[in-house]
Amino acid sequence: MRQDDRAPFDRALRRARVSAYAPGDFVGQESLMTATEIRALAVRAGIGPGVTVLDVCCGIAGPGRFLTRELGCDYLGVDASVSAVAIAGERAGDLPCRFAVAEVPPLPAGPFDVVLLLETILAFEDKDALAGAIAAALAPGGRFAFTLEEGAPLTAAERAAMPDADTVWLIPLDAMVTSLERAGLAVTWQEDHSRAHRATAHALAAAFAADAEDIAAQVGRRALDDLLAAHRLWIDWLDEGRVRKLALVAERR
């Protein structure tokens, strides 16, 4: 979904998204992560009262609003989509969340205690530039908490099959670790979520297919077809071990 008008997609997909997650595990996220996984990663990164958090590519900021409410923090979410940031701000209500429209990198001036990047690191082709910008935004001892789609770069055939392939830049784990280390960031924790995310992708694809007519009526048949095709590819790749889904925390030395 590259369209900047996020509201129609948010409305069209919400019912299916709610039905795909276990009770309490949908908090407005636009990804395969559950609320349980989001909270666990945030706790690992030390998010809590008084901790300054920069949420990069926050989208409509379901996870950011959830963490601010659950754990308490000084939160700033940034995203390139004007409409997504508008939705995030509206839904934040009285929560102490701030939002800004920005292309990244560069990142807003820090220092921040934690930088979050959930489910969107694959959209950045230049991982070295991204890691450098994140390290520069972190205070010494600050933490980078993120999820990684780990695997070899897509082949030409895979790129042809994947909708919006220009936002899918896979990277092997060792190469990602090297990029982080060059920027002065050391991985301190990681966890494999591949099996759980495969199950979530199955549930979402089934929910989108079940609600297909209503979704297509709101966003168009092409957008629905692309959405289903992308989810089916992720399911296949996770089934085959072509891609792994990891959650990681890295610390600025």
Side-chain angles (χ1 to χ4, degrees):
M1 293 184 301
R2 301 298 302 280
Q3 293 87 347
D4 187 54
D5 189 1
R6 194 72 63 88
F9 285 89
D10 178 66
R11 288 193 300 268
L13 303 182
R14 184 172 181 82
R15 181 169 62 187
R17 283 173 168 160
V18 170
S19 71
Y21 289 88
D25 258 336
F26 180 72
V27 290
Q29 65 268 41
E30 302 168 281
S31 71
L32 301 181
M33 293 190 83
T34 65
T36 302
E37 292 167 346
I38 293 165
R39 194 181 196 282
L41 178 58
V43 169
R44 282 280 181 180
I47 293 178
V51 174
T52 55
V53 176
L54 173 65
D55 187 3
V56 179
C57 301
C58 68
I60 64 173
R65 290 179 276 115
F66 168 68
L67 293 177
T68 302
R69 184 173 60 252
E70 288 283 304
L71 302 179
C73 57
D74 180 1
Y75 175 91
L76 171 62
V78 297
D79 198 275
S81 168
V82 173
S83 64
V85 168
I87 293 169
E90 178 182 330
R91 292 189 181 165
D94 294 333
L95 287 171
C97 298
R98 295 175 293 128
F99 300 98
V101 177
E103 295 278 355
V104 295
L107 271 61
F112 298 93
D113 298 317
V114 176
V115 171
L116 283 177
L117 184 55
L118 304 180
E119 303 287 80
T120 47
I121 201 167
L122 80 167
F124 294 88
E125 182 177 7
D126 190 341
K127 303 293 196 287
D128 282 341
L130 177 65
I134 288 165
L138 283 169
R143 285 82 62 198
F144 175 36
F146 65 106
T147 57
L148 177 69
E149 293 80 10
E150 191 269 341
L154 297 185
T155 65
E158 289 169 337
R159 299 197 73 78
M162 171 59 76
D164 287 336
D166 60 334
T167 64
V168 181
W169 303 100
L170 300 177
I171 186 171
L173 178 59
D174 57 354
M176 187 71 238
V177 170
T178 297
S179 285
L180 294 170
E181 290 177 344
R182 278 197 289 259
L185 297 165
V187 173
T188 59
W189 175 84
Q190 72 178 61
E191 188 168 78
D192 194 318
H193 289 175
S194 301
R195 180 174 293 183
H197 283 203
R198 180 180 58 193
T200 302
H202 271 289
L204 282 167
F208 294 148
D211 212 15
E213 292 308 313
D214 189 59
I215 293 172
Q218 296 185 68
V219 300
R221 177 61 60 175
R222 174 63 184 275
L224 171 65
D225 289 345
D226 284 352
L227 180 72
L228 291 172
H231 277 74
R232 287 165 183 156
L233 280 172
W234 286 118
I235 290 167
D236 288 345
W237 293 346
L238 288 164
D239 276 341
E240 299 161 2
R242 167 68 178 86
V243 175
R244 291 193 300 159
K245 290 294 297 293
L246 307 176
L248 302 98
V249 176
E251 185 172 316
R252 181 182 169 191
R253 299 189 185 99

